[in-house]
Amino acid sequence: MAQPLAQIRPLRVAVPADPPVLSAARLLSPRQKAAVMVRYLMAEGALPPLTELPEHLQAALTEQIGQMQLVDRDTLAAVVQEFLGEVDAVGLTFPGGIEGALGLMGSHISATAATRLRRLAGASTRADPWDRIAALPPDRLAQLLEGERVEIAAVALSKLPVPRAADILSRMPGERARRVALAMSRTADIAPDTVRRIGAAFVTEIDSTPVVAFDAPAVDRVGAILNVATSDAREAILAGIEEEDGAFAQALRRTIFTFAHIPARLPPRDVAKVLRLVEPAVLVTALAAAVARPQLQPSAEFLMANLSQRMAQNLREEIGERGRVKDRDGEAAMSSVVEAIRRLESSGEVVLIVQDEPG
């Protein structure tokens, strides 16, 4: 709203300096004064978007404008003067409503506290539920619509921003996506209250989802730990898990990415990008440890084969000079290479090759 307010001050309204003129403004109610200001800003082309207001306030303001008649110049000047005085006196502004407060607090409170506040607010909040739905991550939004009837999904996509709706539609199976898109053509006559109730039902479902302590699934958390464990410890742990829960052990093996997996899963074009994140001395230690182990030699050769000839030759010479590497030092150095790959994967700079599961 800063830009429209800045435009009010130079507008062509003579505001008399004589205080008694404000008596005209005192005859108006706050709602009438708001209507005068909105009408004035509209005439001057400086009106901010009223869609940011709650719908009940938009309706009340429009109704009040419809009831107004003529306003003389002294009254207009007094209302503008009073409005500018109130703006100048503002020290802080607050968002209003529980959703606005939660948006302001952001990560400063726990997810559990935020969920509890939303449940306490319940249906009393006047915030548009679709604002909150549109802010959901794409995966969560797709999951929310997955089991809904095509008509409900069509209403939801119609309320979302076009890029987000296109993303969600592309995640649906082909036949369902076709049916939802067709159903969108039949949403023109749906009443606003019905659309709001659908949004409120989605919000209720979102709030009823239990808050979990960990963002990542258990298999990803255990796999991340095993990724940096020593190979002997990793295999011993996996063998023990396999005896207790074969399915979980199999899922873990699919999640784990170790130095031995590099040739099969790291795209050759990304080798140089990965190794730039590894300290030269650590890289030499990792390669020296790998070439000494037959099962890891392919990984060492793969990395050096995808570097420039001069760099690969320098590494081979340094490996020869490095000599035998202690097992603990070698494991730590190879883990550093794997961690660099994982960091680039997490940031989206590297996309690992997905291997087919054994049939």
Side-chain angles (χ1 to χ4, degrees):
M1 195 170 178
Q3 182 61 26
L5 287 180
Q7 296 178 23
I8 293 174
R9 303 182 186 279
L11 295 181
R12 301 178 301 279
V13 174
V15 180
D18 189 4
V21 76
L22 292 178
S23 61
R26 294 194 185 100
L27 298 176
L28 300 179
S29 68
R31 183 177 293 187
Q32 288 173 325
K33 292 177 185 177
V36 170
M37 283 303 306
V38 167
R39 182 65 187 92
Y40 174 58
L41 290 172
M42 289 176 66
E44 296 293 338
L47 183 66
L50 298 180
T51 53
E52 296 180 5
L53 293 174
E55 289 184 358
H56 72 287
L57 290 182
Q58 296 180 44
L61 185 58
T62 304
E63 183 181 7
Q64 183 62 57
I65 290 175
Q67 296 172 359
M68 301 287 287
Q69 298 295 325
L70 294 174
V71 174
D72 61 60
R73 296 181 67 83
D74 285 349
T75 302
L76 173 60
V79 171
V80 171
Q81 185 182 43
E82 181 179 318
F83 176 77
L84 291 176
E86 291 180 358
V87 170
D88 287 338
V90 171
L92 287 174
T93 61
F94 291 84
I98 191 64
E99 286 300 329
L102 289 171
L104 179 66
M105 295 299 288
S107 59
H108 299 292
I109 61 174
S110 68
T112 303
T115 300
R116 180 174 179 273
L117 287 169
R118 286 193 175 103
R119 286 174 179 168
L120 289 174
S124 64
T125 179
R126 296 179 181 272
D128 185 351
W130 292 103
D131 290 341
R132 186 169 166 206
I133 295 167
L136 290 174
D139 290 342
R140 180 70 180 98
L141 193 49
Q143 181 186 29
L144 193 67
L145 299 182
E146 187 175 359
E148 295 292 341
R149 302 200 318 270
V150 293
E151 294 80 6
I152 300 298
V155 169
L157 291 187
S158 299
K159 286 293 293 182
L160 295 175
V162 172
R164 175 58 62 88
D167 182 17
I168 301 304
L169 193 65
S170 67
R171 294 168 184 258
M172 296 179 181
E175 176 60 20
R176 178 171 172 80
R178 184 190 66 79
R179 292 173 59 203
V180 170
L182 184 61
M184 290 177 71
S185 67
R186 300 191 291 269
T187 60
D189 297 331
I190 296 179
D193 285 347
T194 302
V195 174
R196 185 177 181 83
R197 284 199 299 272
I198 292 172
F202 278 131
V203 167
T204 300
E205 182 177 347
I206 294 167
D207 287 340
S208 66
T209 302
V211 178
V212 295
F214 304 105
D215 294 331
V219 67
D220 291 342
R221 286 182 276 119
V222 178
I225 294 171
L226 294 181
N227 269 329
V228 295
T230 64
S231 56
D232 291 341
R234 180 169 52 246
E235 289 306 319
I237 293 170
L238 283 171
I241 292 175
E242 203 150 19
E243 292 179 3
E244 299 286 336
D245 190 339
F248 186 58
Q250 185 177 6
L252 276 175
R253 291 189 183 278
R254 289 196 297 269
T255 302
I256 290 171
F257 178 88
T258 67
F259 199 85
H261 296 119
I262 289 176
R265 300 198 57 196
L266 179 64
R269 66 178 179 275
D270 292 325
V271 168
K273 186 187 302 183
V274 169
L275 298 187
R276 279 197 293 269
L277 299 181
V278 183
E279 291 291 334
V282 174
L283 176 59
V284 171
T285 300
L287 293 175
V291 297
R293 305 182 190 185
Q295 71 273 24
L296 296 180
Q297 287 177 0
S299 297
E301 291 298 330
F302 172 82
L303 293 174
M304 289 187 286
N306 287 286
L307 297 173
S308 67
Q309 291 185 357
R310 185 172 63 83
M311 186 176 295
Q313 183 59 38
N314 289 341
L315 283 173
R316 292 183 193 279
E317 292 174 0
E318 292 185 55
I319 290 169
E321 295 172 1
R322 182 69 171 79
R324 187 181 181 280
V325 175
K326 294 180 180 179
D327 289 345
R328 179 185 298 177
D329 294 340
E331 292 280 359
M334 288 187 286
S335 291
S336 296
V337 176
V338 170
E339 287 170 10
I341 295 171
R342 284 298 197 184
R343 287 202 304 274
L344 291 174
E345 182 196 23
S346 298
S347 66
E349 296 180 63
V350 166
V351 178
L352 295 178
I353 299 167
V354 178
Q355 293 178 296
D356 294 333
E357 297 180 18

